[in-house]
Amino acid sequence: MDKPESHRLDYTPLAGRTTGIVLSGSVFVENTDLWGNRSILSKITPGQVFAETYAFCREPMMVNVTAAEASTVLFFNLRNLDQTADGDDAWLSQLRSNMLRISMQKNLTLSNRIFCTTPKTIRERVLVYLAAQSAKTGADTFTIPFDRQGLADYLNLDRSALSKELGKMQKEGILEFHKNKFTLRHPSL
């Protein structure tokens, strides 16, 4: 099966107050530096939102949003969230609470990415990331949301160097993998 071509989602936020809600498919939130090097910050799947921090803070987008596959995105203007209404505004209070929860979850996601990109060696970065995925799923065998290039971009690594290190780790019995399915092997005590 061919990988679908990625496309940048071009949209102009309404006065910096627009957030996107992924209805189907998935998108990457990524940064591309002046030399064209891509770094994936997160993968957004159906039911998740992006650009909410920029929308709340009225800041211009400092990242790109790229479709990882055929996707449908609903753009929502948050302009009315800081207005108070007379009468029953329970829905507004609930929406604010939900957006705060989403923002806190994103904070955790970005903190986890920092943990994964802080180690100096490729092996350490890979192990930190895979250990976090194992803890998140509660299993030693799990599937990650990235292909090899996506994982390299997420960990800020060269894809060929990542593939070489994964091969070494598999030969050493540290892990097993096939495409994006991994099994961590715990060392004998």
Side-chain angles (χ1 to χ4, degrees):
M1 186 166 143
D2 292 335
K3 181 180 175 194
E5 185 178 340
S6 295
H7 296 283
R8 182 164 181 246
L9 298 178
D10 289 317
Y11 75 99
T12 303
L14 302 173
R17 301 304 312 268
T18 304
T19 188
I21 304 168
V22 176
L23 301 178
S24 67
S26 61
V27 300
F28 290 126
V29 176
E30 59 190 31
N31 180 44
T32 304
D33 66 20
L34 294 174
W35 299 273
N37 299 310
R38 180 176 86 151
S39 179
I40 296 175
L41 304 176
S42 61
K43 183 176 185 179
I44 310 298
T45 57
Q48 296 181 319
V49 302
F50 60 88
E52 72 286 347
T53 301
Y54 293 104
F56 273 120
C57 297
R58 298 181 179 142
E59 292 288 328
M61 290 273 292
M62 301 299 292
V63 295
N64 297 323
V65 179
T66 305
E69 59 189 311
S71 303
T72 303
V73 176
L74 173 68
F75 293 100
F76 183 73
N77 190 327
L78 300 180
R79 177 181 62 237
N80 296 330
L81 288 184
D82 39 342
Q83 298 174 359
T84 56
D86 294 330
D88 185 5
D89 61 353
W91 69 270
L92 189 56
S93 177
Q94 184 63 50
L95 182 58
R96 287 177 181 148
S97 176
N98 289 347
M99 294 304 288
L100 178 60
R101 190 173 5 273
I102 289 167
S103 184
M104 289 187 293
Q105 182 62 46
K106 291 282 180 82
N107 185 22
L108 286 175
T109 299
L110 291 174
S111 293
N112 287 336
R113 184 171 185 279
I114 290 169
F115 293 139
C116 294
T117 58
T118 298
K120 299 206 183 301
T121 69
I122 296 170
R123 180 172 293 216
E124 289 171 332
R125 288 183 186 197
V126 168
L127 288 175
V128 167
Y129 175 76
L130 295 178
Q133 294 302 303
S134 176
K136 184 176 179 181
T137 63
D140 291 337
T141 299
F142 50 88
T143 302
I144 65 170
F146 301 114
D147 61 11
R148 194 73 68 240
Q149 183 63 55
L151 180 58
D153 291 342
Y154 183 80
L155 297 175
N156 283 338
L157 299 170
D158 176 74
R159 187 199 51 78
S160 60
L162 170 64
S163 294
K164 183 177 178 181
E165 190 63 35
L166 285 171
K168 285 182 188 178
M169 294 167 75
Q170 187 160 344
K171 284 181 184 174
E172 293 171 18
I174 297 170
L175 55 77
E176 292 178 17
F177 68 92
H178 179 71
K179 294 189 178 183
N180 63 340
K181 184 176 181 179
F182 287 82
T183 301
L184 292 182
R185 299 290 177 213
H186 296 282
S188 303
L189 299 177

